[in-house]
Short mmCIF file of all heavy atoms in Angstrom, two decimals:
data_model
loop_
_atom_site.label_atom_id
_atom_site.label_comp_id
_atom_site.label_asym_id
_atom_site.label_seq_id
_atom_site.Cartn_x
_atom_site.Cartn_y
_atom_site.Cartn_z
N MET Y 9 51.66 78.42 84.37
CA MET Y 9 52.11 78.57 85.69
C MET Y 9 51.19 77.87 86.60
O MET Y 9 49.97 78.09 86.52
CB MET Y 9 52.19 80.11 86.16
CG MET Y 9 52.98 80.40 87.39
SD MET Y 9 53.15 82.11 87.69
CE MET Y 9 54.43 82.71 86.50
N PRO Y 10 51.74 77.06 87.34
CA PRO Y 10 50.79 76.19 88.33
C PRO Y 10 50.22 76.98 89.49
O PRO Y 10 50.74 78.01 89.79
CB PRO Y 10 51.78 75.09 88.89
CG PRO Y 10 53.11 75.79 88.88
CD PRO Y 10 53.12 76.71 87.64
N ILE Y 11 49.12 76.50 89.85
CA ILE Y 11 48.33 77.14 90.97
C ILE Y 11 48.38 76.29 92.18
O ILE Y 11 48.02 75.10 92.06
CB ILE Y 11 46.87 77.50 90.62
CG1 ILE Y 11 46.86 78.48 89.45
CG2 ILE Y 11 46.17 77.87 91.77
CD1 ILE Y 11 45.54 78.84 88.95
N TYR Y 12 48.80 76.81 93.36
CA TYR Y 12 48.87 75.98 94.57
C TYR Y 12 47.66 76.50 95.46
O TYR Y 12 47.49 77.71 95.50
CB TYR Y 12 50.20 76.26 95.25
CG TYR Y 12 51.37 75.81 94.29
CD1 TYR Y 12 52.00 76.95 93.49
CD2 TYR Y 12 51.82 74.54 94.22
CE1 TYR Y 12 53.10 76.55 92.75
CE2 TYR Y 12 52.83 74.24 93.40
CZ TYR Y 12 53.41 75.24 92.56
OH TYR Y 12 54.50 74.83 91.80
N GLU Y 13 47.06 75.56 95.99
CA GLU Y 13 45.95 75.96 96.84
C GLU Y 13 46.30 75.66 98.27
O GLU Y 13 47.05 74.61 98.77
CB GLU Y 13 44.70 75.03 96.62
CG GLU Y 13 44.02 75.30 95.30
CD GLU Y 13 42.86 74.45 95.09
OE1 GLU Y 13 42.82 73.28 95.08
OE2 GLU Y 13 41.73 75.19 94.89
N TYR Y 14 45.96 76.63 99.08
CA TYR Y 14 46.28 76.67 100.60
C TYR Y 14 44.99 76.83 101.35
O TYR Y 14 44.14 77.60 100.98
CB TYR Y 14 47.30 77.66 100.92
CG TYR Y 14 48.75 77.41 100.46
CD1 TYR Y 14 49.12 77.67 99.22
CD2 TYR Y 14 49.60 76.79 101.38
CE1 TYR Y 14 50.42 77.29 98.83
CE2 TYR Y 14 50.86 76.42 100.95
CZ TYR Y 14 51.31 76.73 99.66
OH TYR Y 14 52.57 76.39 99.34
N LEU Y 15 44.98 76.16 102.46
CA LEU Y 15 43.83 76.34 103.36
C LEU Y 15 44.20 76.79 104.67
O LEU Y 15 45.20 76.30 105.23
CB LEU Y 15 43.14 74.88 103.51
CG LEU Y 15 41.96 74.83 104.43
CD1 LEU Y 15 40.71 75.37 103.80
CD2 LEU Y 15 41.70 73.49 104.97
N CYS Y 16 43.56 77.74 105.11
CA CYS Y 16 43.71 78.24 106.49
C CYS Y 16 43.09 77.39 107.59
O CYS Y 16 41.81 77.24 107.51
CB CYS Y 16 43.33 79.65 106.53
SG CYS Y 16 43.32 80.30 108.26
N PRO Y 17 43.87 76.70 108.40
CA PRO Y 17 43.15 75.79 109.41
C PRO Y 17 42.45 76.46 110.57
O PRO Y 17 41.81 75.99 111.26
CB PRO Y 17 44.47 75.13 110.04
CG PRO Y 17 45.57 76.01 109.82
CD PRO Y 17 45.24 76.76 108.48
N ASN Y 18 42.69 77.87 110.52
CA ASN Y 18 42.06 78.69 111.46
C ASN Y 18 40.64 79.05 111.15
O ASN Y 18 39.68 78.95 111.93
CB ASN Y 18 42.91 79.99 111.67
CG ASN Y 18 42.55 80.63 112.97
OD1 ASN Y 18 42.20 80.08 113.95
ND2 ASN Y 18 42.73 82.01 113.00
N CYS Y 19 40.42 79.46 109.84
CA CYS Y 19 39.08 79.96 109.47
C CYS Y 19 38.53 79.12 108.17
O CYS Y 19 37.56 79.61 107.66
CB CYS Y 19 39.05 81.41 109.32
SG CYS Y 19 39.96 81.98 107.84
N LYS Y 20 39.35 78.17 107.81
CA LYS Y 20 38.94 77.39 106.72
C LYS Y 20 38.71 78.10 105.38
O LYS Y 20 38.03 77.77 104.48
CB LYS Y 20 37.54 76.67 106.99
CG LYS Y 20 37.63 75.77 108.29
CD LYS Y 20 38.58 74.58 108.06
CE LYS Y 20 38.51 73.66 109.30
NZ LYS Y 20 39.07 74.28 110.60
N THR Y 21 39.50 79.21 105.27
CA THR Y 21 39.52 79.97 104.03
C THR Y 21 40.53 79.30 103.11
O THR Y 21 41.69 79.00 103.49
CB THR Y 21 39.85 81.38 104.32
OG1 THR Y 21 38.88 81.98 105.07
CG2 THR Y 21 39.98 82.15 103.01
N LYS Y 22 40.12 79.09 101.83
CA LYS Y 22 41.01 78.52 100.85
C LYS Y 22 41.39 79.57 99.88
O LYS Y 22 40.64 80.43 99.45
CB LYS Y 22 40.27 77.48 100.10
CG LYS Y 22 41.20 76.37 99.42
CD LYS Y 22 40.60 75.11 99.15
CE LYS Y 22 39.97 75.07 97.82
NZ LYS Y 22 39.56 73.72 97.48
N VAL Y 23 42.77 79.57 99.62
CA VAL Y 23 43.28 80.59 98.70
C VAL Y 23 44.19 79.92 97.63
O VAL Y 23 44.69 78.81 97.93
CB VAL Y 23 44.21 81.61 99.41
CG1 VAL Y 23 43.42 82.43 100.39
CG2 VAL Y 23 45.39 80.93 100.11
N GLU Y 24 44.10 80.60 96.47
CA GLU Y 24 44.99 79.91 95.31
C GLU Y 24 46.16 80.81 95.13
O GLU Y 24 45.96 82.08 94.92
CB GLU Y 24 44.03 79.88 94.13
CG GLU Y 24 43.01 78.92 94.29
CD GLU Y 24 42.02 78.63 93.10
OE1 GLU Y 24 42.17 79.55 92.29
OE2 GLU Y 24 41.27 77.71 92.98
N ILE Y 25 47.33 80.30 95.18
CA ILE Y 25 48.65 81.02 94.95
C ILE Y 25 49.12 80.59 93.53
O ILE Y 25 49.37 79.37 93.31
CB ILE Y 25 49.62 80.70 96.00
CG1 ILE Y 25 48.95 80.99 97.43
CG2 ILE Y 25 50.83 81.62 95.86
CD1 ILE Y 25 48.73 82.34 97.69
N MET Y 26 49.25 81.59 92.70
CA MET Y 26 49.95 81.24 91.46
C MET Y 26 51.42 81.58 91.52
O MET Y 26 51.81 82.71 91.79
CB MET Y 26 49.21 82.07 90.35
CG MET Y 26 49.41 81.48 89.05
SD MET Y 26 48.76 82.51 87.62
CE MET Y 26 47.06 82.61 88.03
N ALA Y 27 52.19 80.49 91.34
CA ALA Y 27 53.69 80.77 91.47
C ALA Y 27 54.46 79.81 90.59
O ALA Y 27 53.95 78.68 90.47
CB ALA Y 27 53.99 80.59 92.87
N SER Y 28 55.57 80.30 90.13
CA SER Y 28 56.43 79.36 89.38
C SER Y 28 57.08 78.41 90.27
O SER Y 28 57.15 78.46 91.54
CB SER Y 28 57.42 80.04 88.59
OG SER Y 28 58.28 80.74 89.46
N LEU Y 29 57.64 77.21 89.60
CA LEU Y 29 58.32 76.34 90.40
C LEU Y 29 59.54 76.97 91.25
O LEU Y 29 59.79 76.56 92.32
CB LEU Y 29 58.78 75.18 89.56
CG LEU Y 29 57.74 74.26 89.05
CD1 LEU Y 29 58.36 73.27 88.01
CD2 LEU Y 29 57.06 73.49 90.05
N LYS Y 30 60.14 77.98 90.52
CA LYS Y 30 61.17 78.64 91.13
C LYS Y 30 60.80 79.45 92.42
O LYS Y 30 61.40 79.45 93.45
CB LYS Y 30 61.90 79.57 90.23
CG LYS Y 30 63.32 79.95 90.62
CD LYS Y 30 64.07 80.53 89.46
CE LYS Y 30 63.60 81.94 89.24
NZ LYS Y 30 64.27 82.71 88.16
N ASP Y 31 59.56 80.12 92.35
CA ASP Y 31 59.13 80.77 93.49
C ASP Y 31 58.70 79.74 94.62
O ASP Y 31 58.92 80.10 95.70
CB ASP Y 31 57.74 81.49 93.05
CG ASP Y 31 58.12 82.74 92.10
OD1 ASP Y 31 59.17 83.23 92.32
OD2 ASP Y 31 57.25 83.15 91.43
N LYS Y 32 58.17 78.62 94.19
CA LYS Y 32 57.77 77.57 95.18
C LYS Y 32 58.98 77.07 95.89
O LYS Y 32 59.08 76.84 97.05
CB LYS Y 32 57.07 76.49 94.49
CG LYS Y 32 56.47 75.52 95.56
CD LYS Y 32 55.73 74.33 94.72
CE LYS Y 32 55.25 73.27 95.75
NZ LYS Y 32 56.39 72.57 96.31
N ASP Y 33 60.08 76.91 95.13
CA ASP Y 33 61.35 76.40 95.68
C ASP Y 33 61.93 77.40 96.70
O ASP Y 33 62.50 76.90 97.67
CB ASP Y 33 62.34 76.18 94.44
CG ASP Y 33 63.27 75.09 94.77
OD1 ASP Y 33 62.80 74.02 95.27
OD2 ASP Y 33 64.50 75.29 94.62
N ARG Y 34 61.67 78.65 96.42
CA ARG Y 34 62.24 79.58 97.44
C ARG Y 34 61.38 79.75 98.60
O ARG Y 34 61.81 80.36 99.66
CB ARG Y 34 62.38 81.06 96.68
CG ARG Y 34 63.47 81.10 95.76
CD ARG Y 34 63.26 82.20 94.69
NE ARG Y 34 62.97 83.47 95.30
CZ ARG Y 34 62.62 84.45 94.58
NH1 ARG Y 34 62.46 84.38 93.20
NH2 ARG Y 34 62.29 85.56 95.10
N GLY Y 35 60.17 79.12 98.47
CA GLY Y 35 59.38 79.04 99.66
C GLY Y 35 58.20 80.05 99.61
O GLY Y 35 58.38 81.23 99.56
N LEU Y 36 56.98 79.47 99.43
CA LEU Y 36 55.81 80.34 99.42
C LEU Y 36 55.36 80.73 100.87
O LEU Y 36 55.42 79.83 101.72
CB LEU Y 36 54.71 79.69 98.68
CG LEU Y 36 54.89 79.54 97.17
CD1 LEU Y 36 53.72 78.72 96.48
CD2 LEU Y 36 54.91 80.91 96.47
N LYS Y 37 54.99 81.88 101.01
CA LYS Y 37 54.45 82.35 102.32
C LYS Y 37 53.04 82.89 102.16
O LYS Y 37 52.94 84.14 102.30
CB LYS Y 37 55.44 83.33 102.96
CG LYS Y 37 56.90 82.86 103.17
CD LYS Y 37 56.88 81.88 104.25
CE LYS Y 37 58.34 81.41 104.51
NZ LYS Y 37 58.35 80.22 105.42
N PRO Y 38 52.14 82.11 101.92
CA PRO Y 38 50.80 82.58 101.78
C PRO Y 38 50.17 83.08 103.18
O PRO Y 38 50.51 82.47 104.23
CB PRO Y 38 49.90 81.37 101.30
CG PRO Y 38 50.80 80.22 101.77
CD PRO Y 38 52.09 80.70 101.85
N VAL Y 39 49.53 84.11 103.15
CA VAL Y 39 48.92 84.62 104.28
C VAL Y 39 47.34 84.61 104.09
O VAL Y 39 46.86 85.01 103.00
CB VAL Y 39 49.27 86.11 104.55
CG1 VAL Y 39 48.55 86.63 105.73
CG2 VAL Y 39 50.78 86.06 104.66
N CYS Y 40 46.60 84.18 105.10
CA CYS Y 40 45.18 84.20 104.93
C CYS Y 40 44.67 85.50 104.77
O CYS Y 40 44.94 86.36 105.78
CB CYS Y 40 44.61 83.44 106.19
SG CYS Y 40 42.81 83.38 106.26
N PRO Y 41 43.89 85.84 103.83
CA PRO Y 41 43.29 87.11 103.51
C PRO Y 41 42.13 87.44 104.56
O PRO Y 41 41.73 88.60 104.57
CB PRO Y 41 42.66 86.98 102.18
CG PRO Y 41 42.43 85.56 101.89
CD PRO Y 41 43.44 84.80 102.74
N ARG Y 42 41.72 86.42 105.26
CA ARG Y 42 40.56 86.60 106.15
C ARG Y 42 41.10 86.87 107.63
O ARG Y 42 40.39 87.82 108.19
CB ARG Y 42 39.68 85.39 106.21
CG ARG Y 42 38.36 85.56 106.78
CD ARG Y 42 37.49 84.46 106.23
NE ARG Y 42 36.18 84.32 107.00
CZ ARG Y 42 35.30 83.36 106.91
NH1 ARG Y 42 35.44 82.53 105.84
NH2 ARG Y 42 34.25 83.27 107.63
N CYS Y 43 41.97 86.16 108.07
CA CYS Y 43 42.31 86.25 109.44
C CYS Y 43 43.85 86.54 109.67
O CYS Y 43 44.25 86.83 110.73
CB CYS Y 43 42.04 85.05 110.29
SG CYS Y 43 43.01 83.62 109.95
N GLY Y 44 44.61 86.67 108.51
CA GLY Y 44 46.03 87.00 108.61
C GLY Y 44 46.85 85.85 109.06
O GLY Y 44 48.06 86.11 109.35
N ASN Y 45 46.43 84.66 109.17
CA ASN Y 45 47.26 83.49 109.55
C ASN Y 45 48.30 83.25 108.54
O ASN Y 45 48.05 83.01 107.35
CB ASN Y 45 46.26 82.19 109.68
CG ASN Y 45 47.02 81.06 110.27
OD1 ASN Y 45 48.10 81.23 110.81
ND2 ASN Y 45 46.41 79.88 110.11
N LYS Y 46 49.48 83.01 109.02
CA LYS Y 46 50.52 82.69 108.02
C LYS Y 46 50.88 81.18 108.01
O LYS Y 46 51.82 80.78 107.23
CB LYS Y 46 51.79 83.40 108.50
CG LYS Y 46 51.62 84.93 108.45
CD LYS Y 46 53.12 85.62 108.69
CE LYS Y 46 52.92 87.18 108.61
NZ LYS Y 46 52.22 87.78 109.75
N ASN Y 47 50.17 80.42 108.78
CA ASN Y 47 50.45 78.97 108.71
C ASN Y 47 49.39 78.31 107.85
O ASN Y 47 48.65 77.49 108.30
CB ASN Y 47 50.37 78.43 110.23
CG ASN Y 47 51.53 78.97 111.02
OD1 ASN Y 47 52.62 79.02 110.62
ND2 ASN Y 47 51.18 79.39 112.23
N MET Y 48 49.40 78.63 106.58
CA MET Y 48 48.51 77.98 105.73
C MET Y 48 48.99 76.56 105.39
O MET Y 48 50.12 76.26 105.33
CB MET Y 48 48.42 78.77 104.41
CG MET Y 48 48.07 80.26 104.61
SD MET Y 48 46.33 80.50 105.11
CE MET Y 48 45.49 80.35 103.49
N VAL Y 49 48.00 75.78 105.18
CA VAL Y 49 48.19 74.32 104.90
C VAL Y 49 48.03 74.05 103.40
O VAL Y 49 46.98 74.44 102.85
CB VAL Y 49 47.38 73.35 105.75
CG1 VAL Y 49 47.54 71.90 105.40
CG2 VAL Y 49 47.68 73.61 107.27
N ARG Y 50 48.93 73.32 102.81
CA ARG Y 50 48.87 73.12 101.42
C ARG Y 50 47.83 72.02 101.17
O ARG Y 50 47.84 70.97 101.75
CB ARG Y 50 50.13 72.59 100.81
CG ARG Y 50 50.25 72.01 99.43
CD ARG Y 50 50.31 73.23 98.48
NE ARG Y 50 49.98 72.70 97.12
CZ ARG Y 50 50.83 72.08 96.27
NH1 ARG Y 50 51.95 71.99 96.73
NH2 ARG Y 50 50.51 71.70 95.14
N VAL Y 51 46.85 72.31 100.19
CA VAL Y 51 45.86 71.35 99.80
C VAL Y 51 46.15 70.95 98.34
O VAL Y 51 46.54 71.74 97.59
CB VAL Y 51 44.45 71.88 100.08
CG1 VAL Y 51 44.21 72.04 101.54
CG2 VAL Y 51 44.13 73.11 99.31
N PHE Y 52 45.70 69.78 98.04
CA PHE Y 52 45.80 69.26 96.72
C PHE Y 52 44.55 69.27 95.89
O PHE Y 52 43.44 69.18 96.58
CB PHE Y 52 46.50 67.96 96.59
CG PHE Y 52 47.88 68.03 97.12
CD1 PHE Y 52 48.08 67.83 98.59
CD2 PHE Y 52 48.97 68.32 96.41
CE1 PHE Y 52 49.33 67.87 99.10
CE2 PHE Y 52 50.27 68.38 96.92
CZ PHE Y 52 50.35 68.17 98.26
N GLY Y 53 44.57 69.21 94.61
CA GLY Y 53 43.37 69.28 93.78
C GLY Y 53 42.55 68.00 94.02
O GLY Y 53 43.02 66.96 94.13
N GLY Y 54 41.28 68.16 94.17
CA GLY Y 54 40.38 66.97 94.47
C GLY Y 54 40.10 66.76 95.84
O GLY Y 54 39.30 65.94 96.25
N PHE Y 55 40.79 67.46 96.76
CA PHE Y 55 40.59 67.24 98.13
C PHE Y 55 39.46 68.31 98.61
O PHE Y 55 39.71 69.48 98.76
CB PHE Y 55 41.93 67.64 98.79
CG PHE Y 55 42.00 67.21 100.26
CD1 PHE Y 55 42.33 65.91 100.71
CD2 PHE Y 55 41.75 68.11 101.28
CE1 PHE Y 55 42.24 65.40 101.90
CE2 PHE Y 55 41.73 67.70 102.55
CZ PHE Y 55 41.88 66.35 102.93
N ALA Y 56 38.33 67.60 98.82
CA ALA Y 56 37.23 68.49 99.05
C ALA Y 56 37.09 68.74 100.55
O ALA Y 56 37.07 67.74 101.42
CB ALA Y 56 35.91 67.88 98.53
N ILE Y 57 37.00 69.99 101.05
CA ILE Y 57 36.77 70.29 102.36
C ILE Y 57 35.48 71.05 102.44
O ILE Y 57 35.32 72.20 101.88
CB ILE Y 57 37.98 71.20 102.86
CG1 ILE Y 57 39.25 70.31 102.78
CG2 ILE Y 57 37.67 71.66 104.28
CD1 ILE Y 57 40.53 71.13 103.17
N GLY Y 58 34.52 70.50 103.21
CA GLY Y 58 33.22 71.04 103.29
C GLY Y 58 32.40 70.81 101.99
O GLY Y 58 32.84 70.09 101.11
N SER Y 59 31.29 71.37 101.91
CA SER Y 59 30.53 71.19 100.67
C SER Y 59 29.67 72.39 100.39
O SER Y 59 28.46 72.38 100.34
CB SER Y 59 29.55 69.95 100.86
OG SER Y 59 28.71 70.13 102.05
N THR Y 60 30.31 73.46 100.13
CA THR Y 60 29.69 74.77 99.89
C THR Y 60 29.68 75.07 98.40
O THR Y 60 29.33 76.26 98.06
CB THR Y 60 30.35 75.87 100.69
OG1 THR Y 60 31.73 75.88 100.34
CG2 THR Y 60 30.22 75.50 102.16
N ARG Y 61 30.15 74.18 97.53
CA ARG Y 61 30.17 74.50 96.10
C ARG Y 61 28.84 74.33 95.42
O ARG Y 61 28.07 73.56 95.82
CB ARG Y 61 31.30 73.64 95.51
CG ARG Y 61 32.61 73.75 95.95
CD ARG Y 61 33.71 73.01 95.32
NE ARG Y 61 33.85 73.62 93.90
CZ ARG Y 61 34.70 73.06 92.98
NH1 ARG Y 61 35.32 71.89 93.35
NH2 ARG Y 61 34.83 73.58 91.79
N GLY Y 62 28.63 75.19 94.40
CA GLY Y 62 27.47 75.00 93.52
C GLY Y 62 26.25 75.26 94.27
O GLY Y 62 25.26 74.62 94.02
N SER Y 63 26.23 76.29 95.13
CA SER Y 63 24.96 76.61 95.87
C SER Y 63 23.98 77.22 95.06
O SER Y 63 22.84 76.79 94.83
CB SER Y 63 25.32 77.39 97.11
OG SER Y 63 26.04 78.60 96.69
N SER Y 64 24.29 78.38 94.35
CA SER Y 64 23.32 79.12 93.58
C SER Y 64 24.02 79.55 92.32
O SER Y 64 23.84 80.66 91.87
CB SER Y 64 22.82 80.19 94.38
OG SER Y 64 23.83 81.17 94.67
N PHE Y 65 24.79 78.65 91.66
CA PHE Y 65 25.42 79.01 90.42
C PHE Y 65 24.45 79.14 89.20
O PHE Y 65 23.57 78.34 89.01
CB PHE Y 65 26.46 77.94 90.08
CG PHE Y 65 27.34 78.27 89.03
CD1 PHE Y 65 28.46 79.27 89.28
CD2 PHE Y 65 27.22 77.65 87.66
CE1 PHE Y 65 29.32 79.61 88.19
CE2 PHE Y 65 28.10 78.14 86.71
CZ PHE Y 65 29.08 79.00 86.96
N GLY Y 66 24.53 80.31 88.53
CA GLY Y 66 23.72 80.47 87.44
C GLY Y 66 22.26 80.74 87.81
O GLY Y 66 21.36 80.48 87.07
N SER Y 67 22.04 81.33 88.89
CA SER Y 67 20.72 81.62 89.35
C SER Y 67 20.03 82.79 88.58
O SER Y 67 18.83 83.03 88.77
CB SER Y 67 20.65 81.81 90.82
OG SER Y 67 21.45 82.97 91.12
N SER Y 68 20.88 83.41 87.83
CA SER Y 68 20.33 84.69 87.15
C SER Y 68 19.64 84.30 85.90
O SER Y 68 18.88 85.05 85.32
CB SER Y 68 21.45 85.67 86.88
OG SER Y 68 22.39 85.00 85.97
N CYS Y 69 19.63 82.99 85.51
CA CYS Y 69 18.82 82.55 84.33
C CYS Y 69 17.53 81.99 84.80
O CYS Y 69 17.45 81.38 85.88
CB CYS Y 69 19.78 81.45 83.65
SG CYS Y 69 21.10 81.95 82.69
N GLY Y 70 16.56 82.18 83.84
CA GLY Y 70 15.30 81.66 84.20
C GLY Y 70 14.12 82.68 83.72
O GLY Y 70 14.47 83.65 83.12
N PRO Y 71 12.98 82.33 84.05
CA PRO Y 71 11.83 83.29 83.59
C PRO Y 71 12.04 84.62 84.18
O PRO Y 71 12.29 84.76 85.32
CB PRO Y 71 10.63 82.52 84.26
CG PRO Y 71 11.05 81.07 84.48
CD PRO Y 71 12.41 81.21 84.73
N GLY Y 72 11.94 85.62 83.31
CA GLY Y 72 11.98 86.98 83.83
C GLY Y 72 13.41 87.51 83.89
O GLY Y 72 13.74 88.52 84.38
N ALA Y 73 14.43 86.61 83.49
CA ALA Y 73 15.79 87.02 83.56
C ALA Y 73 16.21 88.08 82.46
O ALA Y 73 17.11 88.72 82.62
CB ALA Y 73 16.72 85.92 83.44
N GLY Y 74 15.28 88.32 81.45
CA GLY Y 74 15.54 89.35 80.59
C GLY Y 74 16.15 88.69 79.23
O GLY Y 74 16.55 87.57 79.27
N SER Y 75 16.31 89.52 78.27
CA SER Y 75 16.92 89.07 76.97
C SER Y 75 18.43 88.89 77.14
O SER Y 75 18.92 89.58 78.03
CB SER Y 75 16.53 89.93 75.88
OG SER Y 75 17.06 91.27 76.12
N GLY Y 76 19.00 88.08 76.22
CA GLY Y 76 20.41 87.89 76.37
C GLY Y 76 20.89 86.86 77.28
O GLY Y 76 22.09 86.68 77.38
N CYS Y 77 20.00 86.33 78.01
CA CYS Y 77 20.41 85.18 78.93
C CYS Y 77 20.00 83.82 78.42
O CYS Y 77 19.01 83.72 77.70
CB CYS Y 77 19.56 85.47 80.27
SG CYS Y 77 20.23 84.46 81.62
N CYS Y 78 20.81 82.87 78.75
CA CYS Y 78 20.57 81.43 78.33
C CYS Y 78 20.62 81.27 76.78
O CYS Y 78 19.81 80.48 76.35
CB CYS Y 78 19.27 80.93 78.93
SG CYS Y 78 19.28 80.83 80.71
N GLY Y 79 21.46 82.04 76.19
CA GLY Y 79 21.68 81.83 74.77
C GLY Y 79 20.68 82.59 73.88
O GLY Y 79 20.61 82.27 72.73
ZN1 LIG L 11 42.27 82.35 108.15
#
């Protein structure tokens, strides 16, 4: 099942909607979970908005992280 990404132009919140083509054909009505905006804008893969990704991913690994970490 394809995933459609929508961006709220109001608060820049991005949501992922999983829907079949039939559901999409009937019209998706995504609502922003943050501000409740119903006018979500469809975004496509690879379209980067902002640069907040990969800030502290995997920060739990390292010295003193304990056993069972990092393989
Ligand atoms: Zn919003």
